Amino acid sequence: MEETGRKKPKFVAVVLAAGTGSRMHSDVKKQYMELRGLPVVVRSLLRFEENELIDSVVLVTGRDDLQLALSLSLKYNLRKVKNIVEGGDQRYKSVYNGAKAAGEDTDYILIHDGARPLVSDELITRCCREVVLSRACVAAVPVKDTIKRCDTSGFAAETLERASLFAVQTPQAFSYPLFMEAYANLFRTIRAYHPDESKITDDAMIVEAMSDQKVKLIPGDYKNIKLTTPEDMVIAEAFL
């Protein structure tokens, strides 16, 4: 994939594995639990390792897991993992740490949850191709269930129009300069207004709120589930 008049753009994947995974109810953090003989995060990393468009990978993990992450990358010969960095106390800070480590020569950045080990090669390629065209895109699937909004008392207040609702997944892909500028605007906003940082749960929402760029929804994959609870592990094993 080449842009007019220049060499192949550089794609860097930032894989997030800094969470605690408390809802998994396991002594082992979910990203390091074994799924059919391989740690979950290794399965995620291998998908980017094997994709021909991805140039390098930044792995973001917890401070206590830096050595473990390094040993896994060596054990499984993950040659595209060029940096392993410490995450922050909020998701968006972990993403930023990974994005900084990607390097200024990066053209496009893909953010992916390490707990989504079933991401397909086709989906990664789709994100890479679309982000060159639209500058910002996220994988998403139409919701299957009827969605209701509830009031503060727990009663149904509204039934939302299902046809317009999508469940957002990762990868989420962005022009690197656009992404870093959106983060710069975010940090200025936080310093000025001190918003509730726990509500910043999605990478695309930062670009949407902190720039004029629209984010394209591209077809995701229902198998590309995020492993959050023990039931998800059973489903992932069934898919494998």
Side-chain angles (χ1 to χ4, degrees):
M1 182 194 305
E2 294 189 2
E3 294 180 327
T4 303
R6 59 160 294 169
K7 62 181 177 61
K8 172 191 175 297
K10 182 179 179 181
F11 293 92
V12 178
V14 173
V15 176
L16 303 173
T20 59
S22 59
R23 285 176 286 178
M24 192 61 77
H25 304 300
S26 170
D27 293 334
V28 179
K29 294 177 182 177
K30 65 181 181 182
Q31 55 268 39
Y32 299 109
M33 294 174 66
E34 284 208 355
L35 179 63
R36 286 290 181 95
L38 287 176
V40 166
V41 70
V42 170
R43 284 193 176 275
S44 297
L45 291 167
L46 282 170
R47 306 309 291 178
F48 292 93
E49 181 79 23
E50 295 164 359
N51 186 279
E52 63 179 9
L53 294 178
I54 299 299
D55 295 284
S56 64
V57 177
V58 178
L59 176 59
V60 184
T61 189
R63 175 182 297 179
D64 296 337
D65 299 321
L66 289 169
Q67 188 58 47
L68 172 60
L70 175 60
S71 66
L72 288 175
S73 68
L74 294 173
K75 178 179 178 180
Y76 293 100
N77 195 29
L78 300 172
R79 291 174 294 177
K80 288 186 180 179
V81 177
K82 304 299 185 183
N83 290 285
I84 300 174
V85 300
E86 182 181 336
D89 60 350
Q90 301 280 347
R91 176 194 164 87
Y92 80 92
K93 294 179 183 177
S94 293
V95 172
Y96 183 65
N97 289 351
K100 285 192 299 181
E104 294 184 358
D105 61 337
T106 301
D107 294 296
Y108 300 100
I109 188 169
L110 284 77
I111 312 299
H112 187 67
D113 296 319
R116 290 186 190 268
L118 303 184
V119 61
S120 68
D121 186 72
E122 292 79 10
L123 181 52
I124 295 171
T125 297
R126 196 180 306 144
C127 287
C128 290
R129 295 193 183 284
E130 181 57 44
V131 73
V132 172
L133 300 175
S134 64
R135 301 184 74 219
C137 66
V138 301
V141 293
V143 299
K144 296 180 179 181
D145 300 316
T146 295
I147 306 296
K148 291 185 180 290
R149 183 179 62 81
C150 73
D151 61 22
T152 55
S153 300
F155 290 92
E158 180 184 7
T159 300
L160 303 180
E161 175 54 52
R162 186 170 59 185
S164 64
L165 298 176
F166 287 77
V168 172
Q169 303 177 332
T170 62
Q172 301 192 4
F174 308 93
S175 156
Y176 187 72
L178 166 70
F179 192 74
M180 297 305 283
E181 180 59 28
Y183 258 89
N185 291 337
L186 173 66
F187 288 129
R188 283 193 288 268
T189 300
I190 289 174
R191 286 194 297 268
Y193 299 104
H194 308 288
D196 182 357
E197 297 176 54
S198 67
K199 294 183 178 179
I200 307 172
T201 59
D202 177 68
D203 312 308
M205 70 185 292
I206 296 173
V207 172
E208 292 163 2
M210 297 296 156
S211 76
D212 296 327
Q213 177 66 46
K214 289 186 176 181
V215 176
K216 181 75 173 290
L217 299 183
I218 65 172
D221 184 349
Y222 285 112
K223 290 183 180 179
N224 182 28
I225 62 173
K226 186 176 182 180
L227 305 185
T228 304
T229 65
E231 293 81 6
D232 296 328
M233 295 292 288
V234 176
I235 295 170
E237 290 202 8
F239 282 144
L240 286 172

